[in-house]
Amino acid sequence: MKIVLFGASGNIGRPTTEELLRRRHTVTAVTRAGHVDGLEHKALTVTTGDVTDAAAVAGLAASHDAVLSAVGPRIGQENDRATIVGAARALIDGLRRAGVTRLVTIGGAGSLRTPTGTRVMDDPDFPALWKANAEAQSEALDLYRGVHDLDWTYVSPAAVISAGERTGSYRSAGDTLLTDDDGNSRISYADYAIALADTIESGTAIRRRITVAY
């Protein structure tokens, strides 16, 4: 496939770029700086682009098979809503202009449901630092759920996503937070990247949110 990947230099975007290249896809990697340090490949093109600009999204997406967005703000440094919701609006508009229907986007875990039916982000112990991000991710998901002419998939990670080993193993579900036998919900960046690549390749979970975790 020919895939545009926004946010290719981030903690999620870089391993996802590497995973897609490992699978022999052609990747147009989009970053704010226009480079991904230390990553070169014959099937990789790196360019600059603003994922919150619909015209820029349309121009980059044209002639590609799919778009994957791994863009998110750096907590405490940027306006969560402007980045997350702005990206959702521009991706929807831009893909329509480009005539590209397949979109996979990273999401947040805050809007996932616990076994009691409440949202993760409504727990009194939910970190205040992440609340604005979670609310923005939830708003973006609501925007996607109103879109019926694009084949979007919103992929929420586990409650904890961090550096770690690439095991090649994960579980998936719908809107409910996945936990292990000890009540922990986690996944590594590398295995989340595998899940994103699997999702864009399989063409499943159309117009749905899914979540992945160990």
Side-chain angles (χ1 to χ4, degrees), residues 8-173:
S9 62
N11 288 330
I12 295 169
R14 184 186 178 102
T16 304
T17 302
E18 293 171 344
E19 184 66 30
L20 293 172
L21 292 171
R22 184 180 290 115
R23 299 181 186 208
R24 300 185 178 181
H25 297 295
T26 299
V27 180
T28 298
V30 186
T31 73
R32 285 175 290 191
H35 61 83
V36 181
D37 290 341
L39 184 59
E40 294 184 6
H41 193 283
K42 64 182 180 181
L44 175 67
T45 299
V46 184
T47 188
T48 57
D50 182 358
V51 73
T52 64
D53 181 336
V57 170
L60 288 163
S63 78
H64 286 76
D65 300 307
V67 172
L68 197 157
S69 176
V71 170
R74 297 177 182 177
I75 300 302
Q77 296 185 28
E78 298 182 32
N79 184 313
D80 296 88
R81 187 176 182 279
T83 301
I84 294 169
V85 179
R89 293 186 189 281
L91 286 164
I92 292 166
D93 187 9
L95 265 67
R96 284 171 172 162
R97 297 189 201 183
V100 176
T101 59
R102 185 60 173 139
L103 170 65
V104 173
T105 181
I106 66 169
S111 60
L112 291 168
R113 298 286 173 176
T114 67
T116 63
T118 59
R119 296 183 306 174
V120 171
M121 63 192 235
D122 293 331
D123 186 305
D125 295 325
F126 188 81
L129 183 64
W130 286 95
K131 194 62 180 285
N133 182 283
E135 289 173 343
Q137 293 283 15
S138 181
E139 185 177 347
L141 176 58
D142 286 341
L143 284 174
Y144 288 121
R145 283 176 165 160
V147 174
H148 305 290
D149 58 336
L150 298 177
D151 295 335
W152 60 267
T153 307
Y154 181 102
V155 186
S156 290
V160 176
I161 179 169
S162 60
E165 137 180 50
R166 181 183 184 274
T167 69
S169 177
Y170 65 88
R171 294 179 296 146
S172 62

